[in-house]
Amino acid sequence: MQTIKYTFQPHGDERGQLISLEEFKDIPFRIKRVYYMYDTAADVVRGHHAHRNLEQILVCVHGSCKIRLDNGREKKVVALEKPYEGLYVSNNMWREMFDFTHDAVLMVFASELYDESDYIRDYEEFLKFVGINE
Ligand code: TYD
């Protein structure tokens, strides 16, 4: 299973680093929503869902965490450990976020506004949606 991890180019100088992310340039879609998770309790696993249409880029802007991606056939774990790394997560992809460090801030750039009807929260339904277990 192929995963797309971006390495964003920082504008670094003697003062420090700055990363700018523009829609259709650094982020491959129109950014309609940004949200972020922080103060995640130890041993918590978030996510446990897929989306029918939503595309996302995940950036752990501080600390680190791991993302488990599952397309119904294969699973892959990707670590996000640097603020210049971005993981693309397509629609039709079951995701779980875990192993958050206490200082982790996981920022998500999303292609759509929040819409509960876009979520698939049942794993069996997800497998049917992606054409497995029919
Ligand atoms: P939830 O879907 O449980 O987060 P995760 O998938 O990371 O475990 O979302 C937690 C709560 O936040 C839930 O009540 C829905 C709400 N929420 C919004 O209102 N807007 C958003 O953009 C997101 C992602 C969640």
Side-chain angles (χ1 to χ4, degrees):
M1 182 170 118
Q2 261 205 323
T3 50
I4 302 174
K5 204 170 177 185
Y6 292 86
T7 302
F8 302 123
Q9 194 57 54
H11 301 273
D13 58 29
E14 62 285 353
R15 297 169 299 171
Q17 305 296 329
L18 184 155
I19 287 179
S20 162
L21 301 176
E22 295 187 10
E23 57 188 8
F24 298 132
K25 193 173 144 203
D26 312 282
I27 303 286
F29 48 76
R30 168 138 293 149
I31 302 164
K32 286 202 184 163
R33 175 168 55 113
V34 177
Y35 63 93
Y36 45 96
M37 283 150 260
Y38 63 98
D39 274 355
T40 307
D43 300 325
V44 158
V45 182
R46 300 197 65 128
H48 299 287
H49 64 255
H51 287 280
R52 295 169 208 279
N53 294 306
L54 188 73
E55 297 174 87
Q56 299 175 314
I57 296 272
L58 278 55
V59 182
C60 198
V61 292
H62 195 257
S64 68
C65 66
K66 293 194 178 87
I67 317 296
R68 183 178 298 110
L69 296 177
D70 174 357
N71 63 9
R73 291 184 169 79
E74 288 177 78
K75 295 181 176 57
K76 190 161 183 179
V77 172
V78 179
L80 289 177
E81 297 173 325
K82 300 288 178 194
Y84 52 76
E85 294 173 339
L87 177 67
Y88 174 74
V89 182
S90 67
N91 62 333
N92 298 347
M93 189 69 80
W94 191 266
R95 82 286 312 275
E96 294 168 8
M97 297 85 89
F98 62 103
D99 264 5
F100 287 84
T101 54
H102 71 280
D103 58 348
V105 181
L106 179 61
M107 182 166 282
V108 181
F109 298 87
S111 65
E112 302 295 338
L113 302 179
Y114 180 70
D115 174 8
E116 186 56 40
S117 70
D118 188 63
Y119 280 71
I120 305 170
R121 294 191 183 272
D122 180 83
Y123 191 72
E124 292 305 313
E125 189 189 336
F126 163 69
L127 292 179
K128 279 188 198 143
F129 192 73
V130 294
I132 299 168
N133 283 1
E134 278 180 309

